[in-house]
């Protein structure tokens, strides 16, 4: 491969990395699951495509802005020092410009082809992530991820608004589920890279609290999440298919959180972290499956 082509490939790879594809795809699953629920069945495929594309642009743009804003932190952490901005391959101004461009594109697509509310919500998620979490809370309080987690909970609101043009109780409930999911998910990861956060001067819970206290908080939030997820059925928005999934997944989450709390070390943190990713994807898959079953039963 010619040197120019290799260089271009690396540049493309770096800009794709700015969007953090893996976590962005997980957020898209929550948006699409919400769309199935709002549609009481299968949404219009074109609408799904528009939300997925614009959702990736908005979330990816938010992540690019985060790369720029956290260059100094990333450079001090082993886990992140090789990222495009921290590694010096992409400048802060390029990351900011790229992130803004992606969010503008997301808003234009949603506002012009779907509805203005969905576009505003997508941009709101980016603003919360950048200004509330990244710039406002992350460097100042161990509760950063608790409050800042609202940014990652926005996609179900976008999906619901894309279908209905409004934000209603079921969408808010889905928002709350992700809001409650974020602390145990992120603190499990933080346990694994506690020294990295300490080196960067970030007051993540495992850095400022004891190991036992962190584990207790993970268990408490996990139990609240499991209960909240299961009681969603009481709203009438979902049925037995979702309930079975929510109860089974919640039990799996609690079992892993209890094991982590009982262990002296952090051996169970990786298992809990990985399961939390699977939990969210499968839970919103259950939301979609429940909606399809409902549509089939009612004709």
């Amino acid at each position: 491969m010619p040197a120019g082509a290799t260089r271009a490939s690396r540049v493309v790879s770096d800009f794709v990395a700015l969007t953090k594809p893996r976590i962005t795809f997980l957020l898209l699953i929550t948006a699409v699951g919400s769309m199935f629920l709002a549609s009481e069945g299968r949404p219009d495929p074109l609408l799904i495509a528009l939300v997925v594309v614009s959702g990736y642009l908005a979330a990816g743009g938010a992540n690019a802005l985060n790369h720029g804003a956290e260059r100094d932190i990333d450079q001090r952490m082993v886990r992140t020092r090789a990222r495009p901005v921290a590694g010096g391959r992409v400048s802060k101004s390029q990351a900011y410009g790229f992130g803004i461009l992606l969010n503008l594109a997301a808003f234009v697509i949603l506002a012009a082809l779907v509805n203005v509310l969905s576009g505003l919500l997508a941009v709101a998620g980016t603003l919360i992530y950048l200004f509330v979490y990244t710039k406002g809370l992350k460097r100042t309080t161990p509760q950063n991820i608790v409050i800042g987690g609202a940014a990652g909970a926005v996609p179900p609101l976008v999906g619901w608004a894309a279908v209905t043009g409004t934000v209603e109780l079921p969408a808010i409930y889905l928002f709350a589920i992700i809001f409650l999911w974020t602390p145990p998910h992120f603190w499990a990861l933080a346990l694994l890279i506690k020294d990295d956060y300490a080196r960067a001067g970030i007051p993540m819970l495992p850095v400022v609290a004891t190991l036992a206290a962190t584990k207790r908080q993970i268990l408490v939030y996990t139990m609240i999440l499991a209960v909240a997820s299961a009681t969603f059925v009481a709203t009438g928005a979902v049925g037995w298919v979702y309930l079975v999934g929510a109860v089974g997944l919640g039990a799996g989450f609690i079992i892993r959180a209890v094991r982590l709390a009982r262990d002296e070390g952090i051996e169970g943190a990786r298992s809990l972290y990985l399961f939390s990713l699977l939990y969210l994807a499968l839970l919103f898959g259950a939301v979609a499956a429940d909606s399809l079953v409902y549509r089939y039963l009612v004709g």
Side-chain angles (χ1 to χ4, degrees), residues 8 12 14 16 19 24 31 51 62 68 103 106 144 165 170 179 194 211 225 244 271 280 287 291 294:
V12 170
D14 280 335
V16 170
T19 67
T24 297
V51 169
N103 271 274
N144 47 24
F179 187 82
K194 171 186 173 182
L211 181 61
L225 168 65
V244 170
S271 173
L280 195 64
V287 170
S291 300
Y294 173 81

Side-chain angles (χ1 to χ4, degrees), residues 83-260:
R83 285 177 173 175
V85 179
R89 300 186 305 279
V90 176
S91 69
K92 284 183 67 172
S93 60
Q94 287 174 325
Y96 283 138
F98 184 58
I100 292 170
L101 179 63
L102 292 186
N103 271 274
L104 286 174
F107 177 77
V108 169
I109 291 172
L110 288 171
L113 302 178
V114 183
N115 57 58
V116 173
L117 178 59
S118 60
L120 291 174
L121 287 168
V123 173
T126 294
L127 295 177
I128 294 170
Y129 187 43
L130 179 62
F131 292 105
V132 177
Y133 173 66
T134 302
K135 290 185 174 290
L137 299 173
K138 185 169 184 176
R139 301 171 190 249
T140 60
T141 171
Q143 296 301 307
N144 47 24
I145 200 63
V146 177
I147 304 169
V154 168
L157 302 182
V158 176
W160 189 279
V163 173
T164 67
T166 63
V167 173
E168 298 169 288
L169 179 60
I172 295 173
Y173 211 110
L174 293 176
F175 172 96
I177 287 173
I178 300 178
F179 187 82
L180 293 170
W181 167 86
T182 304
H185 159 74
F186 207 92
W187 285 334
L189 173 63
L191 282 173
L192 297 171
I193 56 174
K194 171 186 173 182
D195 292 342
D196 246 4
Y197 280 124
R199 187 180 302 110
I202 302 301
M204 287 296 177
L205 186 62
V207 175
V208 301
T210 65
L211 181 61
T214 301
K215 291 178 178 181
R216 283 197 300 270
Q217 286 297 304
I218 289 174
L219 179 57
V220 167
Y221 270 95
T222 298
M223 294 178 71
I224 295 173
L225 168 65
V227 172
S229 298
T231 54
F232 186 25
V233 73
T235 67
V238 290
W240 64 269
V241 173
Y242 167 84
L243 180 61
V244 170
V247 170
L249 290 167
F253 211 149
I254 290 173
I255 288 171
R256 285 165 175 79
V258 169
R259 286 175 180 168
L260 175 63

Side-chain angles (χ1 to χ4, degrees), residues 2 7 40 55 63 73 77 110 144-145 168 203 234 236 241 253 263 266 270 280 294-295:
R7 191 178 305 111
E40 296 183 347
N63 288 326
I73 296 174
M77 296 178 64
L110 288 171
N144 47 24
I145 200 63
E168 298 169 288
V241 173
F253 211 149
D263 290 342
I266 60 169
R270 184 174 301 279
L280 195 64
Y294 173 81
R295 182 174 181 178

